Amino acid sequence: MGFKLKLERVELRLVELELAQPFETSFGREARRRALIVRLSSGGAHGYGECVAGSGPWYSYETTETAWHALKDFLIPRVLGKELEAATVWDELAPIRGHNMAKAALEMAAWDLEAKLEGKPLAKLLGGEKEKIPSGVSIGIQANISDLLREIERRLEEGYQRIKLKIKPGWDVEVIEEVRGRFPEVKLQVDANAAYRLADKEVFKKLDQFNLLLIEQPLAYDDLADHAALQRELETPLCLDESIPSLNAAKAALALGSCRVINIKPGRVGGFTPARAIHDHCLEKNILVWCGGMLETGIGRAHNVALASLPGFILPNDISASRRYYQQDLVEPEFTLNADGTISVPQGPGIGVEVVEELLERVTLHREEFVA
Ligand code: NPG
């Protein structure tokens, strides 16, 4: 089976990039994005991973600081100097509870490294089959509805296959009604990032009339029971994101009827091994999945593209072109949108795109190296 890698050296970097435009969700507004970039080296080859934790504990309890701590003090020491296959890195990290985003950065770097050492595209190593993946775009909360309508129009002109709109109390039914009126045929979905409670179910009953593809994470991140109660009252599928940090959570959510769709983000679940396990479980249960995004740089996006090439990723993904996120991406070639609203899966070894070292250096705030 797998190829053994000796994990000789790990480099951690904290980077900060300015977003092409500020992004507002029910958590707040972000104009810059911080990320940790992990580089794992073996036999002269380098594998890259990106940690999607944010600068504050809003989407998740993890932050770039907690991830640095978890990586430096607990996760890196568990793999450094060992001979491992990418597929077994998850088992080495699993005894540490939580800290999925920190784990994922290291685990995914190991997959990139293994794919490079084998001379294979990462997507193939993971079992991906698609050469192009359907691309959607996520649009943040805007200052007013006319700005939003303009932004949607621009993204549709660019060719995105579906639009995801962020909602929050006060920016929901009225907004979606206007958007639906203006764009009756567009594939549309909404994401609340856990901003509502079951007592707000009238909001969702109204949203249920707008032919949405799905309603993402309406209720609290740990509330599978109320999601099940809400799903029973709606035609529109609920999709869970924050509520699914693991395969066990996915099994519980499906058993309870808390959702009919799952957004798989490898960073949220701890890497490719758990992401594939959730994908396989959903495929077996006829549950549609898609790959979410965390405003990744091109490194994290390349990982997401590889994952989204697996057969169960049917719905359009939150994987957009580099330019939607950053003026200049950390990788070359940058990701672009094809005329059919897809993104091509890179065919070179590993993540299949090159890290722009000079830019990486320029955006680095802090760096540390660990040697076996
Ligand atoms: O295309 O990467 C993207 C952004 C997709 O909306 C998006 N992400 O809740 O899914 C989310 C949201 C997010 C982004 C959450 C950044 C937290 C941080």
Side-chain angles (χ1 to χ4, degrees):
M1 254 228 22
F3 197 90
K4 288 240 179 209
L5 343 146
K6 174 128 197 266
L7 303 175
E8 294 160 1
R9 187 180 282 263
V10 184
E11 181 194 72
L12 266 189
R13 282 174 193 259
L14 173 65
V15 303
E16 185 177 80
L17 286 92
E18 195 175 338
L19 289 166
Q21 59 186 143
F23 189 62
E24 186 171 333
T25 68
S26 60
F27 303 126
R29 192 176 165 86
E30 272 190 286
R32 310 176 71 75
R33 182 76 179 142
R34 284 190 172 194
L36 299 189
I37 303 296
V38 174
R39 190 180 75 173
L40 216 55
S41 307
S42 178
H46 303 300
Y48 288 89
E50 177 168 341
C51 175
V52 297
S55 40
W58 321 124
Y59 172 90
S60 143
Y61 64 84
E62 291 188 81
T63 68
T64 49
E65 296 277 315
T66 69
W68 191 288
H69 164 55
L71 280 158
K72 175 177 174 164
D73 297 322
F74 301 106
L75 299 170
I76 292 171
R78 296 190 71 87
V79 297
L80 193 61
K82 289 198 182 159
E83 280 203 29
L84 294 169
E85 292 168 26
T88 61
V89 169
W90 169 253
D91 297 330
E92 299 291 325
L93 306 182
I96 308 295
R97 288 202 189 169
H99 300 283
N100 280 346
M101 295 175 174
K103 286 175 180 167
L106 193 55
E107 200 251 11
M108 292 157 82
W111 282 94
D112 177 33
L113 181 58
E114 180 168 316
K116 282 173 177 155
L117 289 170
E118 288 192 43
K120 271 192 195 164
L122 174 62
K124 285 271 157 1
L125 190 63
L126 292 172
E129 295 172 353
K130 299 184 195 125
E131 286 180 7
K132 302 193 289 185
I133 56 131
S135 175
V137 65
S138 172
I139 300 180
I141 292 164
Q142 306 288 312
N144 54 58
I145 294 187
S146 45
D147 285 3
L148 176 65
L149 294 174
R150 254 197 311 278
E151 181 68 11
I152 296 173
E153 207 156 273
R154 166 177 165 210
R155 298 307 183 188
L156 292 173
E157 273 165 18
E158 287 174 351
Y160 287 101
Q161 292 190 8
R162 71 96 174 103
I163 301 289
K164 158 165 148 180
L165 299 180
K166 292 288 182 180
I167 56 168
K168 67 173 182 182
W171 182 265
D172 46 37
V173 177
E174 229 180 281
V175 173
I176 305 306
E177 188 170 12
E178 285 261 355
V179 170
R180 244 317 164 228
R182 177 77 168 272
F183 304 100
E185 308 293 337
V186 162
K187 283 189 189 163
L188 191 64
Q189 65 193 53
V190 297
D191 183 3
N193 286 114
Y196 297 84
R197 297 296 170 262
L198 188 57
D200 302 313
K201 73 177 173 202
E202 289 313 315
V203 169
F204 297 99
K205 287 191 164 173
K206 289 182 188 146
L207 290 176
D208 212 14
Q209 298 161 14
F210 299 127
N211 188 27
L212 300 176
L213 276 181
L214 56 89
I215 297 173
E216 188 175 354
Q217 197 66 46
L219 310 180
Y221 73 92
D222 57 353
D223 195 347
L224 292 181
D226 280 357
H227 276 107
L230 182 60
Q231 179 67 90
R232 281 194 289 275
E233 300 209 27
L234 301 178
E235 297 281 330
T236 310
L238 291 185
C239 168
L240 291 179
D241 172 9
E242 287 98 310
S243 290
I244 311 293
S246 62
L247 173 62
N248 285 339
K251 286 182 179 166
L254 297 179
L256 284 169
S258 310
C259 66
R260 295 194 201 126
V261 176
I262 291 180
N263 164 349
I264 302 182
K265 289 177 178 165
R268 191 194 66 226
V269 302
F272 285 135
T273 299
R276 283 203 307 189
I278 296 171
H279 162 272
D280 294 351
H281 181 72
C282 289
L283 203 56
E284 203 181 291
K285 301 246 170 243
N286 275 320
I287 293 291
L288 297 180
V289 303
W290 55 285
C291 182
M294 296 288 288
L295 306 173
E296 288 89 347
T297 75
I299 296 172
R301 194 164 15 273
H303 283 285
N304 290 349
V305 167
L307 182 68
S309 73
L310 268 67
F313 287 82
I314 303 291
L315 293 168
N317 306 286
D318 272 352
I319 304 177
S320 314
S322 295
R323 292 290 167 93
R324 178 251 171 268
Y325 306 98
Y326 302 103
Q327 296 296 357
Q328 194 191 345
D329 208 341
L330 275 184
V331 302
E332 272 174 356
E334 63 174 25
F335 287 92
T336 54
L337 193 66
N338 298 320
D340 61 355
T342 61
I343 287 182
S344 299
V345 180
Q347 297 302 313
I351 55 176
V353 285
E354 295 296 327
V355 173
V356 184
E357 293 292 341
E358 163 273 319
L359 178 59
L360 180 63
E361 202 53 55
R362 204 153 20 100
V363 298
T364 297
L365 301 178
H366 188 54
R367 175 181 172 280
E368 195 168 342
E369 217 172 354
F370 306 87
V371 182

